[in-house]
Amino acid sequence: MKIGIASDHGGYELKEIIHPFLTSLGHDVVDFGPDHLDNADDYPDYVIPMAKAVAAGTVERGIAICGSGVGACIAANKVHGARAALIGDHFSAHQGVEDDNMNIICLGGRITGYAVAEELVDVFLKAQFTGLERHNRRIAKVKELDK
């Protein structure tokens, strides 16, 4: 699977751990940055291009990481076609994809441990949207807000 990953300074360390983890699983990773630690950078500069790539289908799924994960999630969800959620538990990592067709997982680099982050990302990437009528109906109602 082709995966986009982006962070800011608050998520940089976790991004640098998740990236090789993804490649070890056989995924093709597109790193949207940053390419070095810069405490003055801003998450929208990296997360928004990654979310646009997910929405355009250039990458299949995305991983956005900032200090808490909140800012990255807010920024990603401003992109039409991005469906991002801040995830901190196993159930939501797969259920968000299965029921809500989530295509971007957001993590807090300062609050999510490395082993937990790897597990959440793995579960997120293995999950598939069920496509059930009730889920499509709910997603359609949310999409109406984009008009």
Side-chain angles (χ1 to χ4, degrees):
M1 187 180 293
K2 192 170 186 180
I3 309 299
I5 190 167
S7 74
D8 67 355
H9 58 278
Y12 181 77
E13 188 176 333
L14 183 56
K15 179 178 75 76
E16 292 300 297
I17 289 169
I18 295 297
H19 187 156
F21 171 70
L22 292 169
T23 56
S24 76
L25 296 176
H27 297 291
D28 180 15
V29 182
V30 179
D31 192 332
F32 287 83
D35 62 4
H36 66 281
L37 181 60
D38 176 359
N39 288 323
D41 68 8
D42 299 317
Y43 58 82
D45 296 336
Y46 307 105
V47 171
I48 291 172
M50 184 274 298
K52 286 181 177 180
V54 172
T58 307
V59 296
E60 295 172 68
R61 300 230 182 129
I63 301 165
I65 311 168
C66 68
S68 66
V70 174
C73 187
I74 291 169
N77 278 312
K78 293 295 183 180
V79 174
H80 179 73
R83 291 174 304 280
L86 176 59
I87 300 296
D89 66 276
H90 185 275
F91 176 76
S92 298
H94 66 83
Q95 185 272 338
V97 176
E98 294 163 353
D99 292 4
D100 304 307
N101 208 8
M102 174 177 69
N103 54 17
I104 299 172
I105 187 172
C106 301
L107 301 170
R110 294 182 175 146
I111 60 171
T112 309
Y114 304 143
V116 171
E118 289 177 350
E119 178 185 337
L120 297 176
V121 166
D122 188 42
V123 168
F124 163 69
L125 295 176
K126 288 178 179 172
Q128 297 296 317
F129 179 54
T130 63
L132 295 175
E133 187 278 328
R134 69 178 185 272
H135 300 310
N136 284 321
R137 182 181 69 243
R138 294 166 187 160
I139 291 168
K141 289 179 181 182
V142 173
K143 284 182 180 179
E144 281 295 313
L145 297 172
D146 287 334
K147 294 181 180 177

